[in-house]
Amino acid sequence: MRNLVVISVVLALMGCEPKSVLRQIPDHELAERRSYCLDHEPTAPGKAQACENIRRECERRKEELGSYVCRHR
């Protein structure tokens, strides 16, 4: 039980990191990753979470930067 709590805290803190890896990748690479997610719709938990993070980064760039480089359905 204690291990589960520690893992949860670590994952939560990782999600709060202000300079995430996704913020650092170029627009064209982000767009390619988003397209892959839309085309393949992964169901594995890790890949599905990665695709969700990519979607959120696309939305963040749209809201904060005014540019939406990612494909949507």
Side-chain angles (χ1 to χ4, degrees):
M1 181 65 170
R2 184 170 184 248
N3 290 338
L4 182 61
V5 172
V6 170
I7 290 171
S8 298
V9 169
V10 169
L11 290 175
L13 290 175
M14 286 173 45
C16 296
E17 182 181 337
K19 298 220 179 212
S20 74
V21 174
L22 289 176
R23 286 182 181 233
Q24 298 173 11
I25 66 171
D27 288 347
H28 70 275
E29 186 177 340
L30 183 67
E32 286 176 3
R33 290 183 185 195
R34 178 67 176 145
S35 291
Y36 176 87
C37 290
L38 291 173
D39 293 340
H40 294 90
E41 298 181 8
T43 56
K47 290 191 182 239
Q49 184 60 50
C51 286
E52 176 60 18
N53 292 342
I54 290 167
R55 184 196 63 75
R56 284 197 305 250
E57 178 61 16
C58 288
E59 292 296 325
R60 184 198 69 81
R61 289 186 189 191
K62 178 183 178 185
E63 292 174 17
E64 292 180 15
L65 307 175
S67 61
Y68 194 75
V69 298
C70 301
R71 186 181 109 202
H72 49 62
R73 293 200 184 252

